[in-house]
C-alpha cells in the first residue's frame, strides 16, 4: 500500500558533447532549394563567361579576381560574430555559487533539518500522572515545520524565478539558433558558388590548354587559386558555425533537463510538507498550520502545470495512507526520500552535463581560434576595395 | 570635329535642362544652404543661441555704458544722448544680425572631426559635409542629402548604445574617416579635372559610386546597432511562448 506513493522515477539525461565538425563535412548540412541552386549556377556561369572574355593582363581581369578573393566576406563576418557570442554565454544554471544550483543546495540543506530520520524516535509522549504532557518529541518535530516554512517558501520562489531565467535563456538560444541557421544558409550558398566556380574555371582552363596555354595558366594561377582558398575559408567558417549551432542546442537541452529537475524538486518538497501536515494530524491530532506552504501549494500547482496532476494524485494517496497506515512516519520518510532522489538525480546530471559542456566549449574555442586567422585574411583583403568595385556578381543580394 | 558645338549639342542641352531644373528648385544656394541632418541643424541652432546670448549681453553692457555717459551729462544734451544711444542700439542689432546670418557655427577641421567622441561625431560630420557641398557635383549632392538622413538615424541608435560596442568602432571608421576621406580626395582635385576620365572613370563618377557604397554600409551598420533591440523583442515573445503557450517547456 505504502509503495504506491512512489513518484515515477525522474531521469535527467545529459546530452553528449558536440563533436568536432571537420570543414569537409560542414558543407551540405543546410539544404538548398533546387531553384536557389539553379539561380546560383546561373550567376556562376555568367561570371565565368565574363571572366574568360577578359584579357588576362587587363585591369578588368584583375577586378574579377579581386571579387573572387573577397567572395563571401559579409557572410563570413556575420557568421563569425555569432559563433564568438556563444563562448560569451555564461553557463548560468551550472554555476555552483549562484542561481538555480545554489538554490537547490540551500533547499536540500533546509529539507535535511526537517528529515524525520534525523529527529530520532518520534513519540507522541505520555501524560505524567495522566495530567502533565511529557516527552512529546513529535510535537517538537512538527514545530520545526512552522519555523522553516518561510525559508522554504523563499527558496521555492527563488527556484521558480530561476526556472524563468532558464526559460529566458532558452528563448534567447532559440532566437540565436534561428539567426545562425540563416547565416549557415548564406554560407552554404556561397560554398555552392565557390565550388561551382572551382569546377567551372578548372574546366575552362582545360579547354584552353591547347588553344591558349598562357590564358589557361593565368586562370589556374590567379582565379582558380583564389577560388580554392576562398572555398577553404568558407568551409572553415561553416564548420565553426555548425559547431556553435550544435553547442547551443546542447545548452538548451541542458536547460530543459534542469527545468524538469527544478520542477520535480519543488513538487517533491511541497508533497513532503503536505504529507507532514497529514501525518501530524493523524499522529498527534494536532492541526499543523503551514499558511505560507498552503499558499505555495496553489502557486506551485499553477506554475508547474506538467507536474501538478502528479501532485494532486499524490496528495490523495497521502491522505489515504496517512489515515490507513499503521506507520505514518514511514510515509513521511518516503516523501523525504523522494526529494533526495530528485536532488541526487540533478547532481549526477549536472556533473555529466558540465563535462559535456566543457568538452564542447574547448573544441569550439579551438576551432574559433583557428578560423580567426582565415577571417583576418579575408577582412584585410576586402577592406582595400570596399569603395571602388561595383556590385559583385558573386554577392548574394544581387 | 569632336569639340564642335553641333557635336556636343546633346550634352549642352541636357546640362541646360539640369541647370534649369536646379534653378527652379531653388538653385545651389537653396540646396547647399539647408542643413542635411537634424544633428547638424541642432548644432547650428545651439551655436546661434550661444552667440545670440553673448551678443545680447554685450548690447546690455553697451547700453549701460552709454547711459552712464549720458547720466554724467545733463540739460539739453540729455535728449541728444538718448537719440545717440538709440542709434547705437540699432547699429548693434544690425551687427548681430550680420554675425548670426553668416558662419553661425564653426565647421570642424578633419582632425577635430576624427577626435570627437562617437556621440558627437555624427553631427560634426554632417556639419563638415554641409561645408563641402558647394564643391560637389549634382548627383553626389543627392547622395549627401540621403547620407545626412541616414546619419540622423544612426545618431539616434548611437545615443542608446554602449560606447564600447564593437559596431561603434565601425561607425567611427565609416563616419569619421572613410566618408570624409572620400569627399576630401575629391575636393582636392582641381575643379577643371573633376569631369575628365581617369583610371577607368571620372572623379565625379568615382565619388558618386563611393558615396553610394558608403550609404549602403551606413544602412547595414544602423541595422547592426538595432539588432540587439530586435533580438530582445524576439526573445521576449519566445519566452512568453514557452511560459504561457502550448509548446512544451524548453
Amino acid at each position: 500500500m505504502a509503495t504506491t506513493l512512489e513518484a515515477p522515477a525522474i531521469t535527467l539525461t545529459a546530452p553528449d558533447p558536440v563533436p568536432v565538425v571537420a570543414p569537409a563535412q560542414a558543407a551540405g548540412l543546410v539544404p538548398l532549394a533546387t531553384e536557389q541552386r539553379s539561380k546560383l549556377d546561373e550567376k556562376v556561369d555568367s561570371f565565368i563567361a565574363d571572366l574568360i572574355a577578359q584579357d588576362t593582363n587587363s585591369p578588368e581581369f584583375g577586378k574579377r579576381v579581386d571579387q573572387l578573393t573577397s567572395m563571401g566576406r559579409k557572410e563570413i563576418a556575420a557568421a563569425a560574430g555569432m559563433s564568438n557570442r556563444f563562448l560569451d554565454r555564461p553557463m548560468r544554471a551550472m554555476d555552483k555559487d549562484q542561481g538555480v544550483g545554489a538554490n537547490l543546495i540551500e533547499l536540500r540543506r533546509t529539507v535535511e533539518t526537517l528529515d524525520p530520520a534525523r529527529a530520532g524516535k518520534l513519540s507522541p509522549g505520555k501524560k505524567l500522572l495522566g495530567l502533565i504532557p511529557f516527552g512529546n518529541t513529535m510535537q517538537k518535530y512538527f514545530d520545526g515545520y512552522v519555523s522553516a516554512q518561510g525559508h522554504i517558501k523563499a527558496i521555492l520562489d527563488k527556484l521558480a524565478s530561476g526556472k524563468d531565467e532558464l526559460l529566458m535563456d532558452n528563448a534567447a538560444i532559440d532566437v540565436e539558433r534561428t539567426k545562425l541557421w540563416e547565416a549557415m544558409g548564406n554560407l552554404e550558398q556561397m560554398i555552392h558558388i565557390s565550388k561551382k566556380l572551382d569546377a567551372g574555371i578548372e574546366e575552362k582552363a582545360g579547354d584552353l590548354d591547347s588553344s591558349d596555354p598562357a590564358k589557361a595558366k593565368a586562370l589556374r594561377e590567379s582565379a582558380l587559386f583564389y577560388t580554392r582558398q576562398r572555398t577553404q575559408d568558407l568551409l572553415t567558417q561553416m564548420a565553426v558555425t555548425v559547431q556553435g549551432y550544435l553547442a547551443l542546442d546542447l545548452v538548451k537541452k541542458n536547460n530543459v533537463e534542469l527545468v524538469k529537475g527544478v520542477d520535480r524538486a519543488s513538487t517533491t518538497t511541497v508533497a513532503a510538507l503536505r504529507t507532514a501536515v497529514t501525518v501530524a494530524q493523524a499522529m498527534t491530532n494536532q492541526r499543523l498550520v503551514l499558511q505560507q506552504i498552503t499558499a505555495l501549494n496553489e502557486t506551485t500547482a499553477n506554475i508547474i502545470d506538467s507536474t501538478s496532476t502528479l501532485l494532486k494524485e499524490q496528495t490523495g494517496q497521502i491522505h489515504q495512507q496517512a489515515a490507513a497506515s499503521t506507520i505514518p512516519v514511514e510515509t513521511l520518510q518516503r516523501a523525504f526520500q523522494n526529494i533526495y532522489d530528485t536532488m541526487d538525480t540533478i547532481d549526477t546530471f549536472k556533473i555529466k552535463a558540465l563535462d559535456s559542456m566543457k568538452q564542447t566549449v574547448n573544441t569550439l574555442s579551438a576551432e574559433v581560434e583557428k578560423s580567426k586567422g582565415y577571417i583576418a585574411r579575408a577582412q584585410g583583403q576586402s577592406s582595400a576595395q570596399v569603395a571602388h568595385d561595383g556590385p559583385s556578381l558573386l554577392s548574394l543580394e544581387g | 570635329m569632336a569639340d564642335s558645338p553641333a557635336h556636343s549639342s546633346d550634352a549642352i542641352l541636357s546640362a541646360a535642362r539640369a541647370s534649369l531644373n536646379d534653378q527652379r528648385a531653388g538653385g545651389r544656394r537653396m540646396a547647399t544652404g539647408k542643413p542635411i541632418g537634424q544633428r547638424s541643424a541642432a548644432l547650428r541652432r545651439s551655436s546661434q543661441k550661444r552667440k545670440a546670448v553673448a551678443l545680447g549681453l554685450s548690447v546690455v553692457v553697451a547700453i549701460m555704458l552709454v547711459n552712464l555717459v549720458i547720466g554724467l551729462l545733463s540739460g539739453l544734451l540729455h535728449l541728444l544722448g538718448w537719440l545717440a544711444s538709440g542709434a547705437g542700439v540699432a547699429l548693434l542689432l544690425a551687427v548681430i544680425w550680420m554675425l548670426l546670418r553668416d558662419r553661425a557655427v564653426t565647421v570642424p577641421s578633419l582632425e577635430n572631426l576624427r577626435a570627437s567622441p562617437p556621440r558627437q561625431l555624427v553631427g560634426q560630420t554632417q556639419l563638415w559635409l554641409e561645408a563641402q557641398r558647394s564643391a560637389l557635383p549634382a548627383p553626389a549632392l543627392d547622395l549627401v542629402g540621403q547620407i545626412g538622413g541616414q546619419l540622423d538615424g544612426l545618431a539616434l541608435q548611437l545615443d542608446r548604445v554602449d560606447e564600447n560596442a564593437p559596431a561603434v568602432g565601425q561607425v567611427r571608421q565609416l563616419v569619421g574617416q572613410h566618408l570624409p576621406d572620400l569627399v576630401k580626395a575629391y575636393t582636392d582635385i582641381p575643379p577643371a579635372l573633376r569631369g575628365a576620365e581617369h583610371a577607368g572613370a571620372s572623379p565625379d563618377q568615382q565619388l558618386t559610386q563611393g558615396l553610394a557604397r558608403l550609404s549602403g554600409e551606413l544602412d547595414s551598420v544602423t541595422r547592426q546597432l538595432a539588432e540587439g533591440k530586435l533580438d530582445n523583442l524576439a526573445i521576449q515573445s519566445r519566452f512568453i511562448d514557452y511560459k504561457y503557450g502550448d509548446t512544451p517547456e524548453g
Side-chain angles (χ1 to χ4, degrees), chain A residues 67 120 154 176 199 214 223 283 324 339 341 367:
Chain A
Q67 287 186 1
E176 188 89 18
M283 289 187 72
I339 307 179
D341 287 349
E367 294 301 309

Side-chain angles (χ1 to χ4, degrees), chain A residues 64-132:
Chain A
R64 305 292 185 281
V65 174
D66 280 350
Q67 287 186 1
L68 287 176
T69 60
S70 66
M71 179 169 62
R73 172 182 75 101
K74 283 212 153 147
E75 288 73 21
I76 289 185
M82 290 185 208
S83 318
N84 288 345
R85 240 178 295 160
F86 165 73
L87 291 171
D88 300 338
R89 182 177 288 284
M91 289 178 281
R92 209 178 309 176
M94 299 291 166
D95 202 342
K96 247 198 165 142
D97 302 321
Q98 52 172 323
V100 172
N103 289 329
L104 283 172
I105 292 171
E106 204 183 343
L107 180 63
R108 178 167 207 149
R109 216 176 286 139
T110 314
V111 164
E112 273 170 358
T113 61
L114 296 176
D115 191 345
R118 286 199 171 193
K121 201 167 157 43
L122 295 177
S123 79
K126 293 182 177 110
K127 284 203 174 137
L128 205 60
L129 304 174
L131 277 173
I132 309 152

Side-chain angles (χ1 to χ4, degrees), chain B residues 190-233:
Chain B
L193 298 178
R194 288 174 188 166
E197 182 143 321
H198 175 77
S202 74
D204 280 355
Q205 289 166 346
Q206 284 169 349
L207 174 73
T208 313
Q209 269 178 22
L211 284 176
R213 255 293 140 101
L214 288 177
S215 166
E217 198 63 29
L218 273 175
D219 245 4
S220 85
V221 168
T222 309
R223 197 163 303 147
Q224 213 178 316
L225 282 173
E227 187 142 303
K229 273 122 209 158
L230 289 170
D231 281 356
N232 205 12
L233 178 65

Side-chain angles (χ1 to χ4, degrees), chain B residues 49-63:
Chain B
K49 231 181 258 170
R50 255 201 319 275
K51 273 208 173 133
V53 168
L55 282 169
L57 275 177
S58 52
V59 169
V60 170
V61 170
I63 291 174

